Amino acid sequence: MSRADPSAPQGRGELREEPQTARTRRTTFRASLLGNELLTTFRRWRTLALLAVLAAVPVLVGIAVKVETGDGSSAGPGGGGGGPAFLSQITNNGLFLVFTALAATVPFFLPMAVGVVAGDALAGEANSGTLRYLLVAPAGRGRLLLTKYATVVVFCVTATLVVAVSALTVGALLFPLGDLTTISGTRIGFAEGLGRALLIALAVAASLIGVAALGLFVSTLTGSGIAAMATTVGLLITVQILDQIPQLHALQPYLFSHYWLSFADLMREPVYWDDLTKNVELQALYAAVFGSAAWARFTTKDITA
Amino acid sequence: MGEVSATEPEQGGTGAGDEPVIATRALTKRYRGGQLAVDGLDLTVPAGSVFGFLGPNGSGKTTTIRMLMGLIEPTSGTARVLGQPMPRATRAVLPHVGALIEGPALYGFLSGRDNLVRYDSADPAADPRTRRARVAAALDRVGLTAAAGKKAKAYSLGMKQRLGLAAALLQPRRLLVLDEPTNGLDPQGMREIRTLVRELASDGTTVFLSSHLLDEIEQVCTHAAVMAQGRLITQGPVAELSAGARGRLAVTTPDTAEAARVLKEQGVGDVVVTDDRVTGEPPDRDLAEVTAALVTAGVRVRGLTVERASLEDAFVALTGEGFDVAG
């Protein structure tokens, strides 16, 4: 193990490896293409607006529940049944607002936000002409595609966490916190409840991986960011409708949205893993299929924009 | 890819190697739909040259440049840039190439400086530790240091063009590809670009300059190629190209009628009289005899010169057509 002496530079660059401190590693990440891509994405006004809308959902739900139950009655008719899951339990424990908010945003708001970011990822760059300069830099087509997908996945996690954190904050401000009752009827402590909330947020984020891959594939097909976003969101709505038609139930287990609400199973005691596992498998399948399709398309495409 | 990087030539910064910087053989691109954009192009750009790439709009210049940069796959034929095949060797070749293709493209919501930081971080060969310095130097080189913090969407067309150039100049390059670099620039900016091109060329960078402005090419280029309708019409040193078209004899005199008569007698063809000038194709005989004949005939000669043929004359002589958009 010989450490290269900086005062005696080697003839070839590959031997000049410097000891990495945490600080230089952090600056190196920020300076990498992925770091730059993340910075660029999260500095966009549009990304921030999407996150702001997502953060507003729990605020609206929380205030609505607070106003409805201000006279001491319980939320929802007959102690539950109407509205998103866990709605009736919010008044007892603010932590339930996290579950309710995620259940309310997972069918449309979250995947729509992901579809917008994923659809625009490459098509938007093609639209503005910046794609040709990134490729001439040369970013490398495979490297750029992987960077874009990684960024969209980071956005999936960020968007979910924004909903969860906003819900937790609103829940803590408006409602009492404490031990909670699982769907199975057992009681768990607040700390474990928080842990479950984090797991649920991760399960929801994982649910979005399929849409992210689909959006990125659509993004490689067109040179218009708007068209790619609209197509992705359109596909999302179509799949949601197909998932509601009983005659298509043979097809439904293969629709990416089919197991989206399986995250509620994390609130059972013991946790019911079947649908959660199926969801992750299905999302991985979508990522593999549409990721490969995006790769095949993007690495051979003529860039004329 | 391994075999490609193993054959990378170890040339010095002078770029004066014998191997051409760009060499294409029978390069052809047919777009889906059957349109033939580039047809059997054999282009050779010598190292160290300032190479003018001429042709009317729609003649296939940009498609050629995109094939050279690995953005478009040729339908047939080969293209070698810096001695390596494109688009296979993009990773090895493109860090040595700066390019401005079909005008600048910028992120409007980022500042000028952050635009350059983004393009620099896209290049895996660029050292992140020296990025700030590189970006600052490139901004300084195109005169944008004062506006570096402004959002790019607030830039004028000329400033955007300068920022695009700065991106092409982030690294010392062996080849600089500039597609219509003076578009949108004021006369002062055009002058600066020409100065910059000459500077870079004297440092040994090969400059590949596409334009539809003939005098722009003529002012800075050592070599040129002319394209029309996807085909290469001619290529070679600018001096040779212009020499293909003969210059014109021009006599400045108040006695135009008499001068025209004498010149015809002396064997000058195609005599044209405009205001106080008489021009014509120079005769084969010594011009001193022509001058003597004019003076003997009492023509008050104020000036007598042979005007060098311009590239435009050469172009018209080659193609027999104007500079119209190809249909």
Side-chain angles (χ1 to χ4, degrees), chain A residues 12 16 18 27-28 30-33 36-37 40-41 43-45 125 128-141 143-144 148 297 299-305, chain B residues 10 29 31-32 66 69-73 90-91 94-95 97-107 109-110 114-115 117-119 121-124 128-129 131 164 167 173:
Chain A
R12 291 267 165 194
R16 259 186 282 129
E18 292 190 3
T27 48
T28 305
R30 278 193 59 177
S32 70
L33 181 56
N36 185 274
E37 178 69 34
T40 307
T41 303
R43 245 188 304 183
R44 295 198 89 149
W45 182 86
E125 301 262 12
S128 64
T130 46
L131 182 61
R132 63 174 183 268
Y133 286 110
L134 288 177
L135 291 180
V136 165
R141 296 192 183 201
R143 178 167 165 252
L144 186 61
K148 289 287 184 185
R297 170 76 182 152
T299 52
T300 56
K301 183 186 185 184
D302 279 352
I303 307 295
T304 51
Chain B
E10 291 291 329
K29 179 64 188 183
Y31 282 116
R32 271 186 308 179
R66 283 177 181 272
M69 296 295 101
L71 293 172
I72 291 182
E73 184 100 23
T90 45
R91 284 190 83 111
L94 292 181
V97 180
L100 187 65
I101 308 164
E102 273 192 297
L106 306 167
Y107 299 87
F109 59 98
L110 294 181
D114 286 340
N115 267 283
V117 166
R118 176 151 174 80
Y119 286 134
S121 62
D123 179 359
R129 284 167 297 186
R131 179 158 297 147
R173 312 283 193 186

Side-chain angles (χ1 to χ4, degrees), chain A:
Chain A
M1 175 74 192
S2 66
R3 181 178 285 184
D5 184 355
S7 64
Q10 311 283 331
R12 291 267 165 194
E14 60 262 30
L15 291 175
R16 259 186 282 129
E17 202 144 305
E18 292 190 3
Q20 290 227 325
T21 66
R23 198 184 120 75
T24 63
R25 202 173 296 128
R26 184 150 25 92
T27 48
T28 305
F29 175 75
R30 278 193 59 177
S32 70
L33 181 56
L34 177 58
N36 185 274
E37 178 69 34
L38 287 172
L39 263 174
T40 307
T41 303
F42 285 96
R43 245 188 304 183
R44 295 198 89 149
W45 182 86
R46 191 187 58 214
T47 313
L48 299 177
L50 285 172
L51 293 177
V53 168
L54 288 171
V57 171
V59 178
L60 289 178
V61 174
I63 290 174
V65 170
K66 185 77 179 172
V67 169
E68 253 331 90
T69 60
D71 53 1
S73 67
S74 74
F86 310 111
L87 187 65
S88 57
Q89 279 150 292
I90 293 174
T91 40
N92 303 325
N93 193 330
L95 191 55
F96 275 102
L97 188 57
V98 175
F99 312 138
T100 308
L102 286 172
T105 50
V106 81
F108 188 70
F109 282 107
L110 274 171
M112 183 207 67
V114 170
V116 166
V117 172
D120 193 50
L122 290 162
E125 301 262 12
N127 203 23
S128 64
T130 46
L131 182 61
R132 63 174 183 268
Y133 286 110
L134 288 177
L135 291 180
V136 165
R141 296 192 183 201
R143 178 167 165 252
L144 186 61
L145 188 67
L146 284 177
T147 304
K148 289 287 184 185
Y149 191 59
T151 304
V152 178
V153 169
V154 169
F155 179 79
C156 291
V157 176
T158 310
T160 314
L161 288 179
V162 162
V163 174
V165 169
S166 163
L168 187 62
T169 313
V170 174
L173 287 175
L174 297 183
F175 307 103
L177 294 175
D179 292 358
L180 56 160
T181 313
T182 64
I183 297 178
S184 314
T186 57
R187 293 199 58 86
I188 54 174
F190 181 69
E192 200 191 337
L194 267 183
R196 296 275 174 112
L198 184 64
L199 273 179
I200 284 177
L202 290 179
V204 169
S207 301
L208 301 171
I209 284 174
V211 184
L214 180 68
L216 198 63
F217 171 61
V218 172
S219 196
T220 62
L221 297 179
T222 168
S224 155
I226 302 285
M229 287 188 254
T231 307
T232 310
V233 174
L235 280 171
L236 168 71
I237 295 170
T238 310
V239 164
Q240 298 271 47
I241 292 170
L242 291 183
D243 207 16
Q244 301 301 320
I245 301 175
Q247 285 82 354
L248 294 175
H249 83 102
L251 184 73
Q252 285 166 355
Y254 302 100
L255 300 176
F256 57 76
S257 66
H258 191 63
Y259 298 107
W260 272 357
L261 292 173
S262 65
F263 72 84
D265 291 343
L266 282 165
M267 280 305 287
R268 293 180 200 280
E269 190 66 44
V271 173
Y272 179 67
W273 290 103
D274 280 20
D275 282 359
L276 285 163
T277 316
K278 276 187 197 151
N279 184 29
V280 172
E281 282 169 4
L282 188 63
Q283 300 305 325
L285 183 69
Y286 269 86
V289 170
F290 287 103
S292 310
W295 185 281
R297 170 76 182 152
F298 188 60
T299 52
T300 56
K301 183 186 185 184
D302 279 352
I303 307 295
T304 51

Side-chain angles (χ1 to χ4, degrees), chain B residues 297-320:
Chain B
V299 176
R300 290 168 288 169
V301 177
R302 288 187 178 143
L304 185 149
T305 54
V306 176
E307 288 173 348
R308 195 170 58 86
S310 71
L311 207 54
E312 185 167 350
D313 298 331
F315 183 84
V316 173
L318 279 166
T319 62

Side-chain angles (χ1 to χ4, degrees), chain A residues 302, chain B residues 26-31 36 38 67 72-77:
Chain A
D302 279 352
Chain B
L27 191 67
T28 301
K29 179 64 188 183
R30 187 184 289 279
Y31 282 116
L36 198 57
V38 176
M67 283 194 279
I72 291 182
E73 184 100 23
T75 309
S76 64

Side-chain angles (χ1 to χ4, degrees), chain B residues 244-275:
Chain B
R246 303 181 67 188
R248 282 181 78 83
L249 177 68
V251 177
T252 313
T253 171
D255 312 318
T256 48
E258 182 69 3
R261 189 187 60 78
V262 175
L263 285 177
K264 276 178 195 156
E265 270 178 23
Q266 294 290 319
V268 176
D270 186 26
V271 175
V272 178
V273 179
T274 47
D275 298 333

